Amino acid sequence: MTIECVVIVGIILIMSFIFWRRRHIQWLWATLPLVLVPLSYVVMNFLLNEVLKITVSSMVGVIVMIAAVGISCVWLGLVSNGFKNKKTRVSYITVANTFNVALAAILSSNILTSI
């Protein structure tokens, strides 16, 4: 799942770069919270386990995923205040939080089954 998370992070960062180049700064900040969950998995799994050879227990991995979702949800809520239309704000928060929670559930399941 590390490779998949690297691809997700790459795609979202490319989207953020495009928004930055097009001077859509609000949308740049709106896409960056989506990187937090897969990036935390990559840091935890690849950097700690493979590079630094530090073993992370499965419970710590799940706690990191829950914390990443919580931080991302708060960040999404703060960024959504920049949207003028209420329907845009509600749909943005709903879709982005659903993405983060679903991805964290999948990654947590992967962490727990890889014992």
Side-chain angles (χ1 to χ4, degrees):
M1 292 297 288
T2 304
I3 295 171
E4 289 87 350
C5 286
V6 169
V7 170
I8 291 170
V9 168
I11 290 170
I12 295 172
L13 288 178
I14 289 170
M15 289 170 40
S16 298
F17 179 74
I18 290 170
F19 288 137
W20 176 69
R21 293 282 296 156
R22 299 290 301 159
R23 310 261 191 296
H24 295 288
I25 302 303
Q26 176 64 30
W27 288 103
L28 163 72
W29 288 110
T31 55
L32 286 179
L34 299 175
V35 173
L36 195 58
V37 173
L39 188 63
S40 65
Y41 183 82
V42 169
V43 167
M44 181 185 62
N45 196 26
F46 180 71
L47 268 151
L48 293 180
N49 288 341
E50 302 298 325
V51 176
L52 298 176
K53 305 294 184 200
I54 298 172
T55 57
V56 177
S57 71
S58 58
M59 204 59 184
V60 171
V62 172
I63 290 171
V64 167
M65 288 295 107
I66 292 170
V69 168
I71 293 168
S72 181
C73 287
V74 170
W75 191 358
L76 288 168
L78 294 174
V79 169
S80 71
N81 287 329
F83 297 126
K84 293 171 181 54
N85 191 348
K86 184 178 179 181
K87 288 183 180 181
T88 304
R89 186 178 315 129
V90 169
S91 61
Y92 165 72
I93 290 174
T94 303
V95 171
N97 282 331
T98 303
F99 170 78
N100 281 332
V101 170
L103 184 60
I106 292 168
L107 294 175
S108 296
S109 172
N110 186 40
I111 290 169
L112 291 173
T113 57
S114 66
I115 297 174

